[in-house]
Amino acid sequence: MTTRGKRDDADGVLADVAAALIDEWGTVAHWSRAAAQLLGRSSAAVCGHPVAQLFADSAVPDGLLAPVPRTAGWPALMRHESGHSVAVHCRVLPLESAALRLLLAVPADRAEESEQGAALLRALLAQDRIGLVLRDADLTVLRTNLPSVEVPTPPLGTRLADVMEPTDADRAEARLRTVLETGEPRVADEQHVRTVGHPVRERSLSVTAVRTTDRDGRPSGVAVLLTDATAQWLAARRLRLRHRAAVCIGRSLDVRDTAEDIAEVLVPGLADVAAVDLAEAVLVGDEPPKARGGGDLHLRRMALQTTDGSSLGLVRPGAVIPPFPDQPQLLLLQEGRTVVMDRATVERGVEGVPLMSRDLIPEDGRSLVIAPMTARGLVLGFITAWRTDREEPFDQQDADLLTEIAAHSSLSVDNARRYTREHRAAVTLQRRLLPAASTCGPALETVGRYLPAAGGAEIGGDWFDAIPLPSLRVAMVVGDVIGHGLHAAATMGRLRTAVQTLADLELPPDELLTRLDELVARLAAEAAPADRDAVGATCLVALYDPVAEQCTVASAGHPPPIMAGADGVARPLPVQPGPPLGVGGLPFEPATVRMTADDWLALYTDGLLTRPADDVEAAVLRLADRITALRRSGSTLEAAGRALTEQTGLPAPDDTALLLARVRPLPRDAIGQWEFPADPETVADARAAASGRLALWGLTDLDFTVELIVSELVTNAIRYAGGPIGLRLIRGDVLVCEVSDPSNTQPRLRRASLADEGGRGLFLVAQLSTRWGSRYGRSGKTIWAELALPE
């Protein structure tokens, strides 16, 4: 223990000490001012008189005039001028001349107080677990019992800045100066400080500081009691890190996001540089391979975090990790153990072979700890942590903490891997069930876009379709199955197949939705009772006829399509939506609009609508404004589809399907249309009209085939249906021949026997055409046949 102090004779501890110089005859030779104040007797009244008169019993105290003075103190009663007694504590000191002695007297209460204070100070200074620092008004150290090596306390006569980092010293001295100026103590104030010099130590101290005053109550300094709370501070820091790891790691089902969360938790809580490297198989959802020993472990860096945000010279996220040499430390990691090493061990390795590539070692890295992430005995990857700025190396407690975090991270990474596998399977299934993204026909150009849900949501049942129909017509469909997951994707596949089948029957959109509604009701009836309410879908069907330049739309609980006309302004179509599929009981109302060349039509699911408070109408109008801007900017259909479905801001909570179409009405000269009465003589007129139009188109190679088909179909119409009879030829990517009549009788194809006189007409039509069929209108039917055009 070292001590140092300052004394002020006027105001210090000697101010209350009464002194009298006694000669050899026991007479008072000199009398101090303090003695005069203590007994109320002036120097003139005392000097020259026996000292015994100053004591209450008028007897010279024992040992006062003895040949060998009594140097030990003793209590006594002295006589005050007013007559009362004053309790004092006396002591006699011999002087150079044996005949002279110095009598010292202190009031008994002051003596007791001084003795208790001295005892308390001695007790505090003797402590090794409680530090005591006495500072003067300049905050300079007067006395201390702390070794400056263990706790950042300056030597005597110095300041805090001599042993602490400047910022820590300034902060600590500011708090002490506040205590000195205000007198308000600081009790158990936690202060985190760093020492200067080598090595730098981080300490947490519990500081209690009180102001000290002189006898007149003026501030004289600060008394500081210190306890080392570094162990508790480190334990609390590790506890906070554990809590943060539990809260932050595993929030996402994305492997990359999970890796980034791990690195962000470790820096700066545990390390200055942290990296997460994962097996490449994990990134695509597969199990990592079983690896033993060195070589190429097929790792890829997924996250890198540093205190200063730089990664100069290090392998960056997304890059492949270089091969590792076959070293004992690597085997320990592959066994699932955490390894702690210093830089020298990393660079020296075994027999001078470095443990890792240079681009995995930070330039100023000092200490390293690596923890493997394992699942079912397989290594998913590694968590690497370096200390660069902090000189304290990683210890076993740090390694245990990282092991615990790695165990929690392993579960999160494996969950993300499993989700990646399931999500990939569902997306693959759904993409296989969807049609080609883009189509380009004679009447319609379409671009389809499908965007899976992100941010952990499962795959959904959204779909779109563009179905080519006879007579160059096209059915456009978009739908959204209730629910998510593989069952939704499977239901979507069944509904898409049903829509294609019903569309081939050439049903109008409202009738198609009615049939589809019955199918969904049957699917719900087949489901388990608990799942029946979850079976359903919304759907919208649009049928475009390039000859009539009309589009007929019907909706089953689906948002309305948006059409952008020649002026470039996009508007929702006035479609009255019916109930969602599976509800039943209500009709579906069709709406027909005219569409001219280059008009756009957008069919979409609700995942494309970003709407606050479920305001669907406002969201549809915002989408229409976006389409307007894209149309007026001259964007292509493909570019517009990408722009409308690109993710902005937060990940999409629902999957999205979009079908954009640009119409291509047929030119007027690509259509030939006639009407004939139900007279056998009109068969020749129909053949002649068809032959003349083929000659005009330069398709004389098809003249015989078309004449035969027209002859058979018109003859059947005259014989079985009556008139009027319509004939229409349409030239697109195929040649279409249509014959209409007022009958609703279903034509039947049959094979006539040798004895039959008829029944061969439709058989001949089927043999001569690429495909044929019939459709019904509000009154009557149309039989059509398609022929391939010559090369």
Side-chain angles (χ1 to χ4, degrees):
M1 179 182 68
T2 58
T3 62
R4 180 184 174 183
K6 295 181 180 179
R7 296 290 184 264
D8 186 339
D9 291 341
D11 301 322
V13 296
L14 300 180
D16 292 335
V17 178
L21 187 63
I22 311 300
D23 61 15
E24 57 184 330
W25 297 285
T27 302
V28 179
H30 294 281
W31 188 245
S32 69
R33 183 183 302 174
Q37 293 177 351
L38 177 64
L39 298 181
R41 298 174 183 270
S42 65
S43 176
V46 175
C47 291
H49 296 278
V51 69
Q53 296 180 1
L54 300 177
F55 291 91
D57 52 5
S58 298
V60 177
D62 183 28
L64 179 61
L65 302 177
V68 178
R70 177 180 177 182
T71 57
W74 74 91
L77 293 175
M78 300 189 75
R79 193 189 309 277
H80 195 271
E81 175 66 21
S82 61
H84 68 271
S85 299
V86 178
V88 296
H89 196 83
C90 296
R91 187 174 182 181
V92 177
L93 298 177
L95 300 180
E96 239 179 71
S97 172
L100 298 177
R101 302 177 184 194
L102 182 64
L103 173 64
L104 302 176
V106 179
D109 57 343
R110 298 292 297 173
E112 183 179 359
E113 179 183 342
S114 299
E115 183 60 31
Q116 291 174 350
L120 176 61
L121 182 61
R122 287 193 300 270
L124 290 175
L125 291 173
Q127 295 296 316
D128 57 356
R129 298 185 62 183
I130 301 177
L132 173 64
V133 182
L134 297 179
R135 300 180 181 274
D136 61 12
D138 295 329
L139 300 183
T140 302
V141 176
L142 299 176
R143 302 186 73 173
T144 179
N145 67 338
L146 291 176
S148 59
V149 175
E150 295 297 331
V151 178
T153 301
L156 302 182
T158 56
R159 305 282 291 273
L160 283 173
D162 298 323
V163 292
M164 288 185 189
E165 290 284 344
T167 55
D168 297 337
D170 293 343
R171 185 167 53 249
E173 287 198 356
R175 294 175 179 177
L176 295 181
R177 198 164 298 282
T178 301
V179 173
L180 183 63
E181 293 172 353
T182 64
E184 295 183 4
R186 299 185 75 95
V187 180
D189 188 12
E190 183 179 356
Q191 295 185 16
H192 180 213
V193 298
R194 293 160 294 175
T195 62
V196 296
H198 182 77
V200 175
R201 297 176 181 271
E202 288 185 282
R203 295 301 223 179
S204 181
L205 305 176
S206 179
V207 180
T208 298
V210 296
R211 184 173 70 180
T212 60
T213 59
D214 60 13
R215 194 172 303 278
D216 296 329
R218 292 175 298 185
S220 61
V222 179
V224 182
L225 292 176
L226 304 172
T227 54
D228 189 357
T230 304
Q232 295 88 334
W233 168 66
L234 291 176
R237 187 173 71 173
R238 293 188 179 101
L239 182 61
R240 289 193 298 268
L241 192 60
R242 287 188 180 94
H243 175 73
R244 188 180 176 205
V247 171
C248 297
I249 300 175
R251 297 176 297 180
S252 172
L253 288 175
D254 182 79
V255 176
R256 184 183 300 274
D257 291 344
T258 302
E260 291 176 351
D261 289 340
I262 296 171
E264 290 176 0
V265 164
L266 296 178
V267 177
L270 181 67
D272 301 315
V273 178
V276 179
D277 306 323
L278 298 178
E280 292 180 336
V282 173
L283 307 181
V284 294
D286 296 334
E287 291 273 6
K290 294 182 179 180
R292 182 72 176 176
D296 188 357
L297 302 183
H298 301 286
L299 297 174
R300 188 175 294 272
R301 176 146 293 176
M302 299 307 299
L304 177 65
Q305 188 77 14
T306 61
T307 52
D308 58 1
S310 65
S311 57
L312 185 63
L314 296 176
V315 175
R316 300 193 176 187
V320 175
I321 300 300
F324 290 88
D326 197 355
Q327 298 279 20
Q329 292 86 345
L330 181 60
L331 297 178
L332 292 176
L333 290 172
Q334 291 172 339
E335 292 173 0
R337 303 182 189 180
T338 300
V339 176
V340 179
M341 295 175 285
D342 56 17
R343 185 186 185 96
T345 302
V346 175
E347 293 180 336
R348 185 174 61 251
V350 178
E351 297 180 355
V353 179
L355 299 181
M356 58 181 62
S357 173
R358 294 290 303 176
D359 51 6
L360 297 177
I361 306 174
E363 182 178 354
D364 50 355
R366 304 174 186 271
S367 181
L368 166 69
V369 59
I370 305 179
M373 293 181 289
T374 60
R376 299 171 300 281
L378 301 175
V379 178
L380 302 173
F382 300 99
I383 302 175
T384 305
W386 283 91
R387 280 183 177 168
T388 57
D389 300 332
R390 286 174 276 191
E391 295 190 10
E392 300 99 327
F394 289 110
D395 55 20
Q396 187 57 44
Q397 288 184 323
D398 295 325
D400 294 341
L401 176 59
L402 187 60
T403 301
E404 183 178 338
I405 294 176
H408 175 72
S409 301
S410 300
L411 181 61
S412 300
V413 170
D414 196 48
N415 287 340
R417 180 196 64 82
R418 290 173 178 268
Y419 172 77
T420 300
R421 181 185 61 191
E422 298 298 330
H423 190 267
R424 183 183 63 178
V427 170
T428 301
L429 172 62
Q430 182 143 7
R431 291 192 184 280
R432 292 291 179 90
L433 293 174
L434 291 175
S438 301
T439 63
C440 187
L444 205 65
E445 174 191 358
T446 64
V447 169
R449 297 277 296 177
Y450 174 75
L451 184 67
E458 293 179 328
I459 196 70
D462 292 13
W463 89 93
F464 63 85
D465 212 342
I467 307 170
L469 298 177
S471 303
L472 306 183
R473 299 179 307 153
V474 179
M476 294 168 284
V477 185
V478 66
D480 186 359
V481 175
I482 294 176
H484 295 86
L486 290 175
H487 73 280
T491 303
M492 178 272 287
R494 298 176 71 176
L495 293 183
R496 179 172 177 252
T497 301
V499 168
Q500 289 181 331
T501 301
L502 295 173
D504 283 340
L505 296 177
E506 302 191 65
L507 300 176
D510 53 331
E511 179 65 20
L512 189 151
L513 289 178
T514 301
R515 301 284 185 90
L516 200 61
D517 179 65
E518 296 172 355
L519 171 62
V520 174
R522 287 197 299 270
L523 294 178
E526 295 172 358
D531 299 331
R532 288 175 183 171
D533 292 339
V535 178
T538 64
C539 186
L540 186 140
V541 179
L543 178 62
Y544 175 66
D545 187 345
V547 177
E549 296 186 358
Q550 290 181 342
C551 184
T552 303
V553 183
S555 171
H558 205 82
I562 297 174
M563 188 181 79
D567 58 356
V569 178
R571 302 177 181 86
L573 293 184
V575 180
Q576 183 65 35
L581 298 176
V583 175
L586 294 175
F588 300 99
E589 298 292 337
T592 301
V593 295
R594 179 176 175 80
M595 296 190 70
T596 58
D598 293 330
D599 285 353
W600 285 17
L601 188 66
L603 285 69
Y604 53 90
T605 58
D606 57 1
L608 195 63
L609 302 178
T610 54
R611 56 187 186 275
D614 293 329
D615 188 355
V616 179
E617 293 184 1
V620 171
L621 293 176
R622 285 195 297 271
L623 179 59
D625 291 340
R626 294 177 62 191
I627 296 175
T628 299
L630 291 169
R631 177 69 189 271
R632 289 182 169 178
S633 67
S635 174
T636 64
L637 211 60
E638 180 70 29
R642 287 195 303 268
L644 291 173
T645 55
E646 65 182 1
Q647 292 189 17
T648 57
L650 296 176
D654 196 6
D655 53 345
T656 298
L658 170 68
L659 183 65
L660 278 178
R662 175 188 283 117
V663 300
R664 296 176 174 176
L666 293 178
R668 293 292 90 191
D669 59 0
I671 304 170
Q673 189 166 351
W674 305 269
E675 187 174 286
F676 302 100
D679 188 336
E681 295 181 356
T682 60
V683 175
D685 296 336
R687 286 199 304 265
S691 179
R693 184 51 60 99
L694 292 177
L696 183 63
W697 288 340
L699 298 178
T700 55
D701 292 344
L702 299 177
D703 191 35
F704 174 76
T705 304
V706 172
E707 285 189 8
L708 185 56
I709 292 174
V710 168
S711 179
E712 292 295 334
L713 294 181
V714 172
T715 299
N716 285 342
I718 295 172
R719 180 177 300 175
Y720 302 110
I725 299 172
L727 172 63
R728 185 167 64 176
L729 296 180
I730 306 171
R731 180 187 179 185
D733 57 347
V734 295
L735 179 65
V736 181
C737 179
E738 296 181 346
V739 174
S740 303
D741 61 59
S743 172
N744 289 324
T745 304
Q746 172 71 34
R748 294 179 57 200
L749 176 65
R750 64 186 181 91
R751 187 182 297 274
S753 64
L754 293 176
D756 290 337
E757 294 183 358
R760 297 177 179 84
L762 289 181
F763 180 78
L764 290 174
V765 171
Q767 295 298 313
L768 294 173
S769 62
T770 304
R771 62 173 182 162
W772 75 280
S774 62
R775 63 176 176 272
Y776 295 89
R778 295 188 179 275
S779 62
K781 66 177 181 297
T782 299
I783 302 177
W784 54 266
E786 288 184 359
L787 289 85
L789 296 177
E791 292 294 337

